[in-house]
Amino acid sequence: MKATEIQAIYVMWLRQMKRFIRSKSRLVSSIVQPLFFLFILGSGFRVAIFEGVGDYLSFLAPGIIAMAILFSSMFTGISVLWDKQFGFLQEVLVAPISRISIIIGRTLGGATVALIQGSIILLISLALGVQISGAIGLIFTLLFMVLIAFTAVGFGLVIASKMEDFQGFQLIMSLVVMPLLFLSSAFFPVTSNPTMKSIAMFNPLFYMVDGLRGSLIIGVETVNSPLFNLIIVIFICIFMMSIGSYLFSKMES
Amino acid sequence: MNIITTDNLTKKYNNLIAVDNVSFSVLKGEIFGFLGPNGAGKTTTIKMLTTLLNPTKGSANIIDFDIIKNRDKVRKNIGVVFQEPALDTELTGGENLDYHARMYAISRDKRKERINAVLKLVDLEDKIDIIVKNYSGGMKRRLEISRGLMHYPNVLFLDEPTLGLDAQTRRAIWNYVKKMNKEEGTTIFLTTHYMDEADYLCDRVGIIDRGKILVIDTIENLKNSIGNDVITLTCSNINSLENRLEKEKWIFNIKKHDSKLTLGVEKGDEKIPLIIEISQSEKIRIKSISVRKPTLDDVFLHFTGRTIREDEKKINVETQSRFRMRGGRR
């Protein structure tokens, strides 16, 4: 790869980071919102006993981490639309760099931001007494976090390439993302209900949440083994990123 | 030497032909302008030349690089200032320039030096660390122009460079454009629908309307082509006077427009008595008559049969609401 392309990737990454650090409201809300979920759902459902779930907070924490990474990365993908509307995209597209570098830089930037947010929530969960597994588990956790981030950026790119404005985004969030998230076992186990369990098998988010949970938490019951989940998630990630990059490269400014 | 050449460049959107078999060339070092009303195909032409849109038909070269086959070479050699602002408003002015320079592979030391140089050119040196969203409209425009120059482009494209700016700022931008054309030797291709802008800046102008180029020439020649002087008059029976005057050999051209007659003549002040005599013999009462030097407005009227302002009235409402939605440039 040429030095120019690496420089271009770096610029795209740096831009994401600068924007993230400067946008205080985004910084605060991206951490506060998952924490609300963690505290409110955590304390509310703690008294309810789900079948096969030990400590509910330990069950919930990976779900919330996945959610935070998902939302943050999707936002990065969709912010292409923002750049398109405010003209900045043209400036990038007219530069002598390949579109692939633009996508890689942006994805890495978005993933870095998402990982920072996910890690903050992970640390807070630790402080709240969530029991996590050892080094290998953490490596797996990190892998899942990265893959979730990439997949979600890809998904965001798909939406951004196909949509003209922001109205459609709300629709996608409430009609696609939220239902998938609720059916992913992020907040409660899907195993108790057979219908829900069979739906979950077709839900990409389910494999991510289940895998993240299995890698991160000690002694939790998961549907699939982390390794199995990992393989499936890698495929989903490659699939989503390919469609996202393809549509983005076809996009006319 | 030609730096841009196009050959039957065409862009179709479904049934609409935005740019229709456009062929022209731009000389190295000149300021070339596309003059035409909104929707004439100016921006579409720029987008094709800057590799953002693929032409439906035809071809174009920039310094011998084909805009389709040799995109990266073309991109390296051009700078673009788009009609809509294209800055990252969350970054500082300096960062915008720095990121731009990195994408064009300019080395670290050169970057610093060049940022200072281009900012100096547009008098923004002291605003380097200010976040762009706090810039005024004119400052943003100047920053964009300086960014377009960052990587020493051979050609700089300016799409409606002073759209939506106040008179004072426009004048300043024009001077910056002239300055960089002179000092850096950058060839400039600009589009505009302002007559005064084309008149003040351009060495040569192409008049474009409904996707077609009607004429390309120096401003001087264009003005001379419709006569040394222009006489405008209003009168009682405009049609019969027009028919009568068409027989006169000393009138180069006649245009009836808006209940006014516009005549291109030589030595206009001597022709006024003649016209009054003719009209009196025809029992036509002249209400007003004046003579002046031709302007680009007259040229535009001559080639398109209407003034650019009429088009604007129709389109203005639309454009303004669009700009308001985008947060405007002001």
Side-chain angles (χ1 to χ4, degrees):
Chain A
M1 191 180 271
K2 284 187 291 180
T4 12
E5 302 295 338
I6 292 169
Q7 189 68 258
I9 293 172
Y10 175 67
V11 169
M12 291 289 122
W13 179 83
L14 194 62
R15 176 170 174 253
Q16 295 286 329
M17 300 309 287
K18 284 242 162 106
R19 287 181 69 109
F20 174 64
I21 291 164
R22 286 199 189 141
S23 165
K24 302 275 180 298
S25 59
R26 191 181 158 204
L27 198 70
V28 170
S29 75
S30 65
I31 291 167
V32 169
Q33 195 203 15
L35 283 187
F36 271 142
F37 269 83
L38 197 63
F39 281 116
I40 295 172
L41 283 181
S43 48
F45 281 124
R46 212 159 197 176
V47 287
I49 295 166
F50 292 111
E51 207 181 316
V53 171
D55 176 31
Y56 180 67
L57 197 64
S58 301
F59 176 87
L60 184 65
I64 301 295
I65 293 170
M67 180 187 84
I69 295 175
L70 186 78
F71 284 179
S72 170
S73 311
M74 254 180 70
F75 179 81
T76 303
I78 297 205
S79 62
V80 169
L81 197 63
W82 197 267
D83 281 354
K84 191 172 160 189
Q85 290 228 317
F86 286 93
F88 185 78
L89 191 64
Q90 288 189 319
E91 146 78 2
V92 178
L93 293 184
V94 88
I97 51 177
S98 71
R99 296 208 170 181
I100 288 296
S101 302
I102 300 173
I103 295 168
I104 294 174
R106 208 183 182 99
T107 308
L108 288 179
T112 313
V113 169
L115 284 186
I116 294 171
Q117 293 172 345
S119 305
I120 292 173
I121 294 156
L122 179 60
L123 288 177
I124 293 170
S125 320
L126 277 181
L128 290 175
V130 170
Q131 297 288 312
I132 64 163
S133 53
I136 299 168
L138 275 180
I139 291 170
F140 262 77
T141 305
L142 200 66
L143 269 177
F144 273 108
M145 284 163 77
V146 172
L147 287 169
I148 295 172
F150 282 180
T151 314
V153 174
F155 183 61
L157 281 178
V158 173
I159 301 176
S161 312
K162 284 286 134 197
M163 265 181 355
E164 289 297 316
D165 51 39
F166 292 97
Q167 268 85 41
F169 173 55
Q170 283 301 327
L171 204 69
I172 302 248
M173 276 306 279
S174 48
L175 287 186
V176 179
V177 179
M178 288 317 279
L180 284 182
L181 191 65
F182 278 115
L183 292 172
S184 71
S185 82
F187 307 126
F188 49 83
V190 291
T191 39
S192 44
N193 182 329
T195 336
M196 233 189 240
K197 194 178 169 184
S198 36
I199 294 172
M201 293 300 132
F202 298 97
N203 181 356
L205 290 188
F206 168 73
Y207 296 97
M208 297 172 183
V209 173
D210 199 52
L212 191 66
R213 182 173 289 131
S215 336
L216 183 65
I217 309 294
I218 283 187
V220 74
E221 250 182 69
T222 55
V223 180
N224 304 316
S225 76
L227 196 63
F228 178 78
N229 281 323
L230 188 68
I231 292 166
I232 297 215
V233 172
I234 288 174
F235 276 113
I236 296 171
C237 181
I238 292 172
F239 177 71
M240 214 66 219
M241 275 306 291
S242 316
I243 301 184
S245 328
Y246 174 75
L247 289 178
F248 177 79
S249 65
K250 289 279 157 225
M251 192 157 104
E252 284 189 334
S253 62
Chain B
M1 198 189 110
N2 288 341
I3 200 157
I4 305 175
T5 40
T6 75
D7 180 27
N8 287 317
L9 204 60
T10 303
K11 181 74 190 179
K12 278 184 202 162
Y13 294 106
N14 301 324
N15 292 323
L16 179 88
I17 303 177
V19 174
D20 191 358
N21 288 297
V22 162
S23 303
F24 64 94
S25 52
V26 176
L27 300 171
K28 193 171 163 53
E30 75 173 338
I31 302 184
F32 181 88
F34 252 13
L35 177 68
N38 291 315
K42 293 173 298 190
T43 301
T44 310
T45 310
I46 281 207
K47 284 201 169 166
M48 286 192 280
L49 291 177
T50 55
T51 75
L52 285 176
L53 276 180
N54 283 328
T56 316
K57 211 187 80 193
S59 66
N61 282 339
I62 292 180
I63 332 171
D64 297 331
F65 299 124
D66 189 283
I67 55 159
I68 303 161
K69 288 175 210 134
N70 236 329
R71 281 172 175 235
D72 269 6
K73 285 268 170 54
V74 170
R75 289 174 180 172
K76 266 200 187 94
N77 282 294
I78 60 171
V80 192
V81 177
F82 299 101
Q83 191 170 330
E84 303 93 18
L87 295 161
D88 189 329
T89 50
E90 301 289 325
L91 302 177
T92 67
E95 282 167 348
N96 265 293
L97 296 183
D98 185 57
Y99 290 6
H100 179 88
R102 283 172 189 270
M103 289 195 284
Y104 287 79
I106 298 173
S107 69
R108 179 187 291 265
D109 302 335
K110 261 247 176 89
R111 275 207 301 270
K112 271 215 175 113
E113 197 188 307
R114 186 65 179 157
I115 289 174
N116 289 326
V118 294
L119 282 179
K120 202 167 171 213
L121 195 70
V122 295
D123 292 327
L124 281 176
E125 306 107 296
D126 50 334
K127 303 288 188 296
I128 186 167
D129 289 325
I130 293 178
I131 293 192
V132 172
K133 66 178 165 201
N134 299 322
Y135 276 36
S136 72
M139 281 158 68
K140 280 185 193 159
R141 209 67 189 147
R142 270 143 69 196
L143 182 66
E144 289 197 285
I145 291 176
S146 70
R147 184 178 66 182
L149 282 178
M150 268 305 283
H151 54 283
Y152 307 93
N154 286 300
V155 190
L156 183 67
F157 290 89
L158 302 170
D159 194 1
E160 299 274 7
T162 62
L163 189 70
L165 298 177
D166 61 74
Q168 227 179 336
T169 315
R170 292 183 63 205
R171 178 68 54 165
I173 300 249
W174 291 350
N175 289 333
Y176 293 129
V177 172
K178 282 221 153 173
K179 197 162 136 196
M180 68 204 190
N181 173 251
K182 222 190 224 154
E183 285 180 13
E184 307 243 333
T186 318
T187 308
I188 290 164
F189 181 105
L190 64 88
T191 71
T192 183
H193 66 283
Y194 297 121
M195 298 291 170
D196 51 347
E197 187 160 286
D199 204 353
Y200 186 83
L201 279 178
C202 299
D203 299 316
R204 287 195 309 140
V205 166
I207 292 183
I208 181 167
D209 190 31
R210 298 188 176 132
K212 283 193 170 123
I213 292 190
L214 303 174
V215 63
I216 299 179
D217 214 328
T218 61
I219 305 249
E220 195 68 21
N221 287 348
L222 283 177
K223 285 181 183 170
N224 286 341
S225 71
I226 56 167
N228 272 344
D229 285 318
V230 173
I231 292 176
T232 8
L233 60 86
T234 54
C235 61
S236 54
N237 194 343
I238 197 158
N239 288 331
S240 59
L241 186 63
E242 188 188 7
N243 290 337
R244 173 66 186 76
L245 288 178
E246 263 165 6
K247 290 177 199 139
E248 298 295 326
K249 293 244 164 43
W250 45 270
I251 298 177
F252 300 136
N253 60 68
I254 301 186
K255 273 267 145 76
K256 189 178 65 185
H257 176 261
D258 243 10
S259 71
K260 271 185 202 153
L261 272 187
T262 306
L263 319 171
V265 296
E266 204 91 43
K267 292 187 184 152
D269 35 4
E270 293 172 17
K271 298 300 185 308
I272 288 184
L274 268 175
I275 294 171
I276 292 177
E277 264 169 45
I278 292 170
S279 59
Q280 274 173 346
S281 68
E282 296 281 315
K283 300 256 173 348
I284 294 165
R285 199 166 50 84
I286 293 200
K287 290 177 189 156
S288 72
I289 187 161
S290 66
V291 60
R292 57 184 164 80
K293 288 283 165 202
T295 63
L296 265 186
D297 284 281
D298 300 316
V299 176
F300 192 84
L301 173 65
H302 176 69
F303 284 104
T304 64
R306 56 192 208 289
T307 64
I308 213 162
R309 277 187 222 100
E310 285 167 47
D311 282 39
E312 240 168 60
K313 265 180 223 150
K314 268 180 246 154
I315 297 172
N316 239 351
V317 184
E318 221 176 280
T319 327
Q320 275 175 359
S321 62
R322 199 186 76 203
F323 267 90
R324 220 163 285 143
M325 262 165 55
R326 293 192 172 196
R329 181 177 286 150
R330 255 151 281 198

